[in-house]
Amino acid sequence: MNYTLHQLQVFLKVAELKSITKASEALHLSQPAVSIQLKNLQEQFEIPLIEVIGRQVYVTEFGREIAEASQKIVEQVHAINFKTMSYRDQLVGHLNISIVSTGKYVMPYFLSGFVNKHEGVELNMDVTNKLKVLDSLEQNHVDFALVSTIPSTFNVNKIELMPNSLFWIGNCDKVFKNKTNNLTALKKLPFIFREHGSATRHAMEAYMKSNDIKNTKRLELTSNEAVKQAVIAGLGFSMMPIIGIRKELSDQDLQIIPMKGTPITTTWNLVWLKSKRLSPVAEAFVKYISNSKTELINQHFSWYQDFLADKN
């Protein structure tokens, strides 16, 4: 037997995703490269690891046993690497963060410098809806969460990162003249909502209630990207964080509808439970964010600051 760690890692990804195409995308390899690694591994076993029927990949019973053993080998190699880095006084361990879906436009810029500096840190970032983010935080499944509003029932520490500003948006098929007339027009338009529990939905419904907007035509979608595409397609109008539609505004696929009382601005907060005992990696990340956030915002979000200043 002369299989390599790389061959085992490729096989594990194929076994996990049941697809050579998806495995190649996840591993940032070409499909031929993945197929060659699989072939080289398979040649060392008389019993098939996988079967390809049509375009579907099936892992054999023997393949599942090899995958289980391979996973243990890969984990042991990671453990060895971690121990080596630890002896070199390098920061090693896992950093677990759960973020709301619109946070994907923000959080990566606050993570990349830290993760690239510390090769021994493995990042797990879960992008999901707000209810699941808060549940992960409450159940102590993550070190940190990124949210724009914090329930009063949560006892947390926080670092304020940057503003989260919401505007009414639509595609560019309709002309909106002025803020007063726009409110009248808005009352007659079909709306697209995020799912229940979303902070954006809560802000949108609060605005509608305070301005006596009662509209029964509604479509509910579970992601910011889905709402964005639905608005572009002309299915309705919505309220969205401006940070997620920079390109669409530039391309004139979307427009901001000027309305009194907008933008509605909250703050992106990095939060963690006060009762949580932070790992050395988590403590180092808190220190990094505290010391670097102003520089990171100026570096990556100057356009955003300029845009808000112009709209305000």
Side-chain angles (χ1 to χ4, degrees):
M1 292 291 178
N2 193 30
Y3 44 78
T4 67
L5 179 65
H6 184 51
Q7 289 170 357
L8 296 181
Q9 290 172 322
V10 169
F11 171 61
L12 276 172
K13 188 57 67 175
V14 172
E16 174 192 349
L17 299 177
K18 307 293 191 299
S19 168
I20 291 175
T21 301
K22 291 180 180 178
S24 66
E25 292 173 352
L27 295 168
H28 304 290
L29 298 171
S30 67
Q31 291 186 42
V34 170
S35 297
I36 289 171
Q37 294 300 322
L38 279 178
K39 180 177 179 292
N40 291 341
L41 180 64
Q42 178 63 74
E43 286 177 348
Q44 299 179 69
F45 301 97
E46 297 180 359
I47 305 171
L49 298 171
I50 63 172
E51 295 175 339
V52 181
I53 302 175
R55 294 185 177 181
Q56 182 64 49
V57 173
Y58 297 90
V59 183
T60 65
E61 182 178 354
F62 177 68
R64 287 194 292 272
E65 291 187 9
I66 296 301
E68 184 177 340
S70 298
Q71 184 63 48
K72 293 178 181 178
I73 292 171
V74 170
E75 289 174 355
Q76 286 299 313
V77 170
H78 282 318
I80 290 171
N81 290 338
F82 279 162
K83 289 178 181 178
T84 302
M85 290 178 181
S86 179
Y87 271 94
R88 291 175 179 170
D89 292 327
Q90 295 183 25
L91 195 64
V92 295
H94 296 270
L95 184 64
N96 300 304
I97 300 180
S98 185
I99 68 174
V100 293
S101 60
T102 49
K104 64 177 176 282
Y105 304 111
V106 175
M107 199 66 226
Y109 296 98
F110 289 92
L111 284 164
S112 60
F114 180 79
V115 173
N116 291 334
K117 180 180 179 181
H118 302 288
E119 295 181 1
V121 173
E122 291 196 1
L123 172 66
N124 178 29
M125 185 172 72
D126 182 34
V127 182
T128 184
N129 62 54
K130 182 182 176 183
L131 293 179
K132 290 182 179 178
V133 168
L134 293 177
D135 182 64
S136 295
L137 185 67
E138 188 173 28
Q139 298 301 319
N140 199 30
H141 293 160
V142 295
D143 301 306
F144 304 101
L146 181 72
V147 292
S148 58
T149 57
I150 308 170
S152 58
T153 54
F154 277 65
N155 192 14
V156 297
N157 292 313
K158 70 175 182 178
I159 298 176
E160 294 185 355
L161 296 183
M162 57 184 288
N164 177 40
S165 297
L166 307 174
F167 290 83
W168 284 103
I169 55 113
N171 65 12
C172 294
D173 294 344
K174 186 177 178 61
V175 176
F176 294 90
K177 296 181 179 180
N178 59 63
K179 291 185 177 182
T180 302
N181 291 339
N182 289 349
L183 182 58
T184 302
L186 198 66
K187 294 181 179 182
K188 301 175 183 178
L189 298 177
F191 293 137
I192 301 173
F193 288 80
R194 285 291 304 275
E195 77 283 358
H196 284 285
S198 161
T200 301
R201 177 175 179 139
H202 177 75
M204 184 173 169
E205 290 181 331
Y207 185 94
M208 292 173 65
K209 183 177 180 180
S210 64
N211 288 278
D212 195 30
I213 301 174
K214 299 176 182 178
N215 194 315
T216 57
K217 296 180 182 179
R218 51 174 67 194
L219 172 66
E220 183 176 307
L221 297 171
T222 57
S223 78
N224 232 48
E225 289 300 315
V227 171
K228 185 193 303 183
Q229 295 306 317
V231 173
I232 292 173
L235 287 173
F237 298 77
S238 191
M239 181 174 281
M240 292 189 68
I242 200 68
I243 199 162
I245 57 174
R246 181 187 184 187
K247 183 178 185 301
E248 289 74 15
L249 290 173
S250 176
D251 293 345
Q252 296 187 334
D253 291 325
L254 293 174
Q255 65 170 317
I256 289 175
I257 305 172
M259 300 290 298
K260 290 182 177 179
T262 61
I264 297 173
T265 301
T266 57
T267 302
W268 288 114
N269 295 285
L270 183 73
V271 302
W272 64 99
L273 296 176
K274 283 189 175 180
S275 58
K276 185 173 183 62
R277 184 175 180 180
L278 295 179
S279 68
V281 169
E283 287 184 345
F285 184 61
V286 168
K287 183 177 180 180
Y288 169 79
I289 291 295
S290 299
N291 293 338
S292 306
K293 71 171 186 175
T294 300
E295 179 184 350
L296 293 171
I297 290 170
N298 291 336
Q299 180 181 354
H300 298 293
F301 299 103
S302 59
W303 71 269
Y304 183 66
Q305 294 172 304
D306 293 342
F307 181 91
L308 294 182
D310 179 63
K311 291 301 178 182
N312 291 323

